[in-house]
């Protein structure tokens, strides 16, 4: 059983669906999927939570590949909302829904080891190869950040994919330290920077487990992060997996066309 965690609101439901469609293409293992959500419309009217009804189709699809797979949605309430409101990073370029993962180790329902994934990720190989990595002596298994390792710090990691050791994080109090830092200090990359500052027992994994640039032959986790383009002038580009026409036109990526066709059919049927 491969344990997975996604966090977000209704807006990223299609991102989760695409990620899981690409995942079940490459693995025979059952998936134990957790989705954290919250209703924080007091911050933004678009921060609408995902509901059980919204994930019904997602669970049906992954069960069609392996009947043992399941999806559990968990809505965080008052404690999370009050914490977000009190944080100096509640309004930034990044959605406050990423903070949901910091509450994961407090919930007994989550297993001791799981993979956290951002919702702008596609899978290009068997995710079991990542999940089976031994991190019993580490808090996190991570991959260096494509730009952060150059512009911030040589060992600055990207938090869009994290292999998480729940027991160790409880022992070191890592996520509580990160939450405290996020409340008190304004940061450009809020909990990612805080995780980099506070995590002490980190296992750095090969780039193939969080490829943030062009897809390679050995890529397993393909992360559609914001990219820097230097020519013909300096600018950034931020295309997500569900922006199919732009993925084709700008990135020239057609690796996922079979997934995209299945995705389109699902949207039509529903």
């Amino acid at each position: 059983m491969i344990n997975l965690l996604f966090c977000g609101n209704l807006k990223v439901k299609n991102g989760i669906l695409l990620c899981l469609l690409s995942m079940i293409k490459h693995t025979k293992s059952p998936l134990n999927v957790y989705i954290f959500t919250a209703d924080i419309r007091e911050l933004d009217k678009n921060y609408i939570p995902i509901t059980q009804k919204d994930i019904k189709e997602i669970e049906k699809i992954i069960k069609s590949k392996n009947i043992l797979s399941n999806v559990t949605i968990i809505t965080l309430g008052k404690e999370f909302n009050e914490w977000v409101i009190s944080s100096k990073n509640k309004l930034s370029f990044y959605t406050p829904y990423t903070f949901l993962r910091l509450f994961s180790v407090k919930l007994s329902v989550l297993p001791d080891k799981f993979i956290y994934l951002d919702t702008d990720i596609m899978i290009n190989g068997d995710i079991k190869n990542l999940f089976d990595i031994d991190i019993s002596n580490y808090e996190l298994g991570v991959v260096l950040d494509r730009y952060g390792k150059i512009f911030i710090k040589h060992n600055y990691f990207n938090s869009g994919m994290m292999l998480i050791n729940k027991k160790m994080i409880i022992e070191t109090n890592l996520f509580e330290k990160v939450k405290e830092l996020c409340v008190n200090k304004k940061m450009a990359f809020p909990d990612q920077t805080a995780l980099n500052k506070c995590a002490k027992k980190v296992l750095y994994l090969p780039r193939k487990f969080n490829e943030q640039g062009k897809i390679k032959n050995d890529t397993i986790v393909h992360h559609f992060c914001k990219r820097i383009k230097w020519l013909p002038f300096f600018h950034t580009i931020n295309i997500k997996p569900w922006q199919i026409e732009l993925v084709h036109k700008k990135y020239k990526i057609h690796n996922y066309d079979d997934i995209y066709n299945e995705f389109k059919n699902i949207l039509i049927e529903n």
Side-chain angles (χ1 to χ4, degrees):
M1 184 72 76
I2 297 171
N3 305 312
L4 303 158
L5 173 64
F6 296 93
C7 298
N9 62 352
L10 190 59
K11 186 177 179 181
V12 300
K13 185 187 77 168
N14 285 344
I16 297 173
L17 173 57
L18 275 169
C19 182
L20 290 173
L21 284 174
S22 63
M23 193 179 295
I24 61 176
K25 175 184 175 180
H26 295 286
T27 189
K28 295 180 180 178
S29 302
L31 306 178
N32 186 23
V33 183
Y34 294 89
I35 301 174
F36 279 14
T37 192
D39 186 344
I40 43 177
R41 278 175 280 189
E42 57 189 301
L43 274 183
D44 188 311
K45 65 179 181 181
N46 295 312
Y47 288 162
I48 302 169
I50 303 171
T51 67
Q52 189 68 42
K53 182 180 177 182
D54 296 319
I55 65 165
K56 188 176 180 181
E57 189 62 28
I58 294 176
E59 185 168 50
K60 178 183 174 183
I61 290 162
I62 67 168
K63 277 185 175 294
S64 69
K65 183 66 180 287
N66 191 315
I67 192 63
L68 297 177
S69 294
N70 59 79
V71 181
T72 302
I73 188 159
I74 298 175
T75 304
L76 274 70
K78 184 178 179 181
E79 181 183 0
F80 173 74
N81 286 31
E82 289 179 349
W83 181 87
V84 168
I85 295 299
S86 67
S87 172
K88 289 189 176 181
N89 296 280
K90 62 179 177 287
L91 298 175
S92 70
F93 178 80
Y94 297 93
T95 167
Y97 282 92
T98 61
F99 295 134
L100 284 166
R101 59 192 178 181
L102 301 178
F103 289 75
S104 59
V105 299
K106 296 185 70 175
L107 300 180
S108 59
V109 67
L110 258 75
D112 290 336
K113 181 184 181 184
F114 57 92
I115 302 170
Y116 165 82
L117 294 172
D118 277 356
T119 57
D120 57 351
I121 280 174
M122 295 291 278
I123 305 301
N124 202 56
D126 194 342
I127 198 70
K128 189 175 186 296
N129 293 321
L130 170 60
F131 187 72
D132 285 348
I133 295 172
D134 182 12
I135 57 164
S136 54
N137 295 317
Y138 300 92
E139 297 163 317
L140 304 169
V142 295
V143 174
L144 290 172
D145 188 81
R146 185 184 184 192
Y147 300 117
K149 66 182 180 182
I150 300 171
F151 298 113
I152 301 176
K153 192 178 179 182
H154 74 280
N155 61 348
Y156 187 90
F157 61 83
N158 182 281
S159 64
M161 184 295 296
M162 295 189 294
L163 185 57
I164 293 177
N165 180 347
K166 178 181 171 183
K167 281 187 174 180
M168 181 67 76
I169 287 173
I170 291 173
E171 183 181 313
T172 62
N173 213 27
L174 172 61
F175 282 1
E176 293 304 310
K177 294 173 184 175
V178 172
K179 285 161 64 178
E180 183 178 357
L181 190 56
C182 289
V183 164
N184 296 314
K185 184 177 181 180
K186 182 73 174 176
M187 292 170 281
F189 310 101
D191 55 341
Q192 177 170 277
T193 293
L195 282 161
N196 271 274
K197 287 179 178 294
C198 298
K200 303 302 180 186
K201 299 181 179 181
V202 176
L203 177 64
Y204 288 91
L205 304 176
R207 180 171 169 174
K208 66 181 180 181
F209 292 119
N210 188 356
E211 176 55 64
Q212 300 148 52
K214 292 182 179 180
I215 192 169
K216 309 294 190 303
N217 290 334
D218 67 343
T219 297
I220 292 178
V221 176
H222 188 197
H223 194 177
F224 283 68
C225 297
K226 182 186 288 188
R227 300 186 188 181
I228 293 174
K229 294 291 183 180
W230 302 98
L231 297 172
F233 57 87
F234 175 84
H235 63 288
T236 60
I237 184 169
N238 193 21
I239 296 170
K240 299 306 179 186
W242 52 86
Q243 297 174 297
I244 300 172
E245 290 185 10
L246 290 175
V247 170
H248 287 157
K249 184 178 179 180
K250 296 292 186 181
Y251 287 166
K252 312 298 181 187
I253 294 174
H254 291 272
N255 301 62
Y256 309 115
D257 283 1
D258 56 335
I259 303 298
Y260 284 150
N261 288 334
E262 186 177 358
F263 173 70
K264 289 175 181 177
N265 289 333
I266 291 169
L267 293 186
I268 292 169
E269 290 173 5
N270 290 277

